Amino acid sequence: MDIIDRLKSLNETIWYNPNYMASPNMNDFSINIEEVKKAEARLLRFAPYIEKVFPETKDGIIESPINRIDKMKNKMENIFDTKIYGNLLLKRDDLLPIAGSIKARGGIYEVLKYVEELLLKQELLNINDDYRILTEEKFKNFFSKYTIQVGSTGNLGLSIGIMSAKIGFKVIVHMSSDAKKWKKDLLRSKGVKVVEYEDDYSIAVEEGRYLSNKNPKSYFIDDENSKNLFLGYAVGGMRVKKQLDDMGIIVDKENPLFVYLPCGVGGGPGGVAYGLKLVYGDNVKCFFAEPTHSPAMLLGLATGKHDKISVKDIGLDNKTEADGLAVGRPSLIASEIMDKLLTGSFTIEDKKLYIFLKALYKSEYIFLEPSALAGFLGPIFTSSKYKEENITHLCWGTGGSLVPKEVREKFLMI
């Protein structure tokens, strides 16, 4: 059975990328190393401002911890009657300050880049200034004349909406039918205008882009085509090395790192994977996880059609409980880069998301939203092929800390 038939069947499957390159020139892609370094430097320039307006951040750095989850590993082995070779870690992007998801990385970075470019152009800011001056009323008044818009299934809208509103922009978030009500309510509570669509993610993005282009003082953050979002995520991928070093975890040829990233349109996981590759090269193996009903990136890569094919073209409905992953076609930027850097991709049924959600909560007392659990099937899949105890498995937890208590309780009861 070929990969298209396997996807059509809605059965969980893992696909290993035949185009994977062990040691590509990382500057041969549409993103290069210097751009990632510039993005990191820009985030550091904004750190004093971030610390002032979001004191919950540590030194104004938007970063999350990595946890060992040995109890969860044991529970997964028991539930699925299998052995997971190596140790299991969780990247806690559910705890990222400000927006509580992986989208805080790219979304906030792109907003800040736009802020800096606007102010430098108007000669209202010098890159040697203390960026805490941006809290002054004159800057709030300046930004109130501009609008930021974005299309989102939820978490990107949260990160951009919260950050943009704090700076003083007018903000419009175009949200697809998959977006959860609590995310819309949270945005509105921050003064963000939410436009709802009965269609899926692609239509929300298309309409948002169209409406923004009609306004010369509106800036559209384009999840499908944004290089800036990708760069913000890549910085996060690079930072993993110091964290693992500090934990005493060795990553080299004999001790590989396997990373499992939930994937929607692909910018977030693609950027993180690119950053990981910059610091670890072939010693890191990156896998994307997608719902069986929305395997957009896997389909685009396996067919070589990238964003020119949708899951609906092969008869899938793109309906999933994993709202952040409910995407029909992948980002062209991300898929073209991942064509050579991604080790593989796999699909997961919605019901398994809740099995992992409850298992993680019971074993480690950690709550993640359903889409953030997609990566947990990865170690089970790969352990059937890679049976070495020196592997470190890292599941990327993409969101969950902002989920309201009543919604958490509902998820835990499913």
Side-chain angles (χ1 to χ4, degrees):
M1 186 184 292
D2 71 12
I3 187 62
I4 303 298
D5 289 335
R6 280 151 57 194
L7 295 178
K8 283 181 179 179
S9 74
L10 296 176
N11 291 322
E12 292 172 336
T13 187
I14 186 165
W15 169 82
Y16 289 94
N17 182 9
N19 297 329
Y20 174 78
M21 290 180 65
S23 302
N25 183 337
M26 296 298 286
N27 285 321
D28 282 348
F29 300 103
S30 57
I31 304 291
N32 62 56
I33 298 167
E34 285 308 309
E35 289 175 308
V36 180
K37 289 180 178 176
K38 286 179 181 177
E40 187 172 30
R42 181 171 286 111
L43 287 169
L44 289 174
R45 287 198 293 275
F46 273 97
Y49 167 78
I50 295 291
E51 184 180 24
K52 185 171 182 178
V53 296
F54 294 106
E56 66 269 26
T57 61
K58 184 181 178 183
D59 301 326
I61 302 299
I62 303 166
E63 197 43 78
S64 70
I66 294 174
N67 290 168
R68 295 179 185 272
I69 47 171
D70 297 335
K71 292 177 183 174
M72 178 61 171
K73 180 190 170 189
N74 293 336
K75 200 162 189 69
M76 286 165 61
E77 290 177 326
N78 291 333
I79 291 171
F80 294 96
D81 191 23
T82 190
K83 177 169 175 57
I84 296 172
Y85 295 87
N87 60 321
L88 184 63
L89 309 177
L90 176 62
K91 178 61 171 165
R92 301 292 308 276
D93 270 9
D94 59 301
L95 298 180
L96 273 180
I98 305 174
S101 83
I102 187 174
K103 298 295 187 179
R105 299 182 183 281
I108 289 171
Y109 172 73
E110 180 150 2
V111 171
L112 297 179
K113 184 172 187 287
Y114 179 57
V115 165
E116 189 177 65
E117 288 175 343
L118 268 181
L119 293 177
L120 290 174
K121 187 177 180 181
Q122 298 287 332
E123 297 184 348
L124 295 172
L125 183 73
N126 183 291
I127 61 169
N128 295 316
D129 286 340
D130 182 337
Y131 281 23
R132 283 175 288 194
I133 62 173
L134 299 182
T135 58
E136 295 173 8
E137 200 61 32
K138 69 174 182 179
F139 289 105
K140 291 263 187 183
N141 293 335
F142 173 80
F143 289 119
S144 69
K145 300 179 179 69
Y146 293 85
T147 301
I148 286 184
Q149 303 195 48
V150 64
S152 173
T153 58
N155 286 345
L156 182 64
L158 282 178
S159 71
I160 288 165
I162 292 169
M163 189 73 241
S164 301
K166 176 68 73 173
I167 287 168
F169 288 107
K170 295 189 184 79
V171 195
I172 303 173
V173 178
H174 302 265
M175 302 194 90
S176 63
S177 57
D178 315 279
K180 303 300 184 190
K181 181 180 181 297
W182 70 265
K183 294 183 181 180
K184 298 171 188 175
D185 292 343
L186 179 56
L187 279 169
R188 289 184 174 119
S189 75
K190 304 287 184 183
V192 174
K193 180 180 179 181
V194 176
V195 181
E196 300 182 53
Y197 295 84
E198 292 184 6
D199 291 297
D200 68 10
Y201 164 84
S202 294
I203 299 300
V205 172
E206 187 180 325
E207 283 296 304
R209 188 188 294 123
Y210 169 75
L211 292 171
S212 184
N213 287 341
K214 290 170 68 175
N215 178 357
K217 286 198 170 181
S218 177
Y219 179 75
F220 185 69
I221 295 180
D222 196 334
D223 199 11
E224 293 181 333
N225 302 301
S226 175
K227 193 172 182 178
N228 293 321
L229 286 175
F230 195 97
L231 289 168
Y233 299 125
V235 172
M238 289 181 66
R239 288 174 176 169
V240 167
K241 185 177 188 307
K242 184 179 186 307
Q243 289 185 295
L244 293 185
D245 287 349
D246 289 347
M247 294 173 73
I249 294 173
I250 297 169
V251 177
D252 56 22
K253 188 176 181 180
E254 287 72 39
N255 302 275
L257 174 66
F258 283 43
V259 182
Y260 309 97
L261 294 138
C263 180
V265 73
V272 167
Y274 184 88
L276 286 165
K277 284 290 182 180
L278 284 179
V279 293
Y280 288 127
D282 193 43
N283 297 328
V284 63
K285 314 292 183 187
C286 297
F287 294 84
F288 286 175
E290 298 178 279
T292 53
H293 286 250
S294 306
M297 181 64 76
L298 200 167
L299 180 63
L301 290 175
T303 60
K305 294 182 178 180
H306 302 290
D307 65 335
K308 299 299 187 290
I309 189 169
S310 166
V311 299
K312 291 185 177 179
D313 295 336
I314 63 167
L316 302 183
D317 60 11
N318 192 30
K319 294 188 184 301
T320 171
E321 282 299 304
D323 57 328
L325 312 183
V327 173
R329 63 180 78 233
S331 154
L332 179 60
I333 290 175
S335 61
E336 285 186 336
I337 296 174
M338 289 302 104
D339 183 57
K340 299 292 187 290
L341 298 184
L342 192 68
T343 298
S345 188
F346 59 89
T347 59
I348 179 171
E349 296 175 344
D350 277 12
K351 66 181 180 182
K352 291 257 179 69
L353 300 174
Y354 291 105
I355 291 172
F356 287 124
L357 186 153
K358 288 186 276 191
L360 183 65
Y361 188 76
K362 288 178 181 177
S363 62
E364 306 282 352
Y365 205 65
I366 294 171
F367 177 86
L368 299 180
E369 61 182 313
S371 59
L373 278 302
F376 278 81
L377 191 58
I380 294 167
F381 265 134
T382 59
S383 285
S384 65
K385 180 176 180 177
Y386 301 94
K387 302 180 185 295
E388 295 90 26
E389 288 290 357
N390 53 355
I391 293 172
T392 294
H393 299 279
L394 176 63
C395 294
W396 208 280
T398 51
S401 63
L402 296 186
V403 178
K405 184 172 182 287
E406 64 275 14
V407 178
R408 290 185 182 212
E409 289 172 354
K410 181 183 172 186
F411 285 150
L412 290 165
M413 291 296 289
I414 291 175

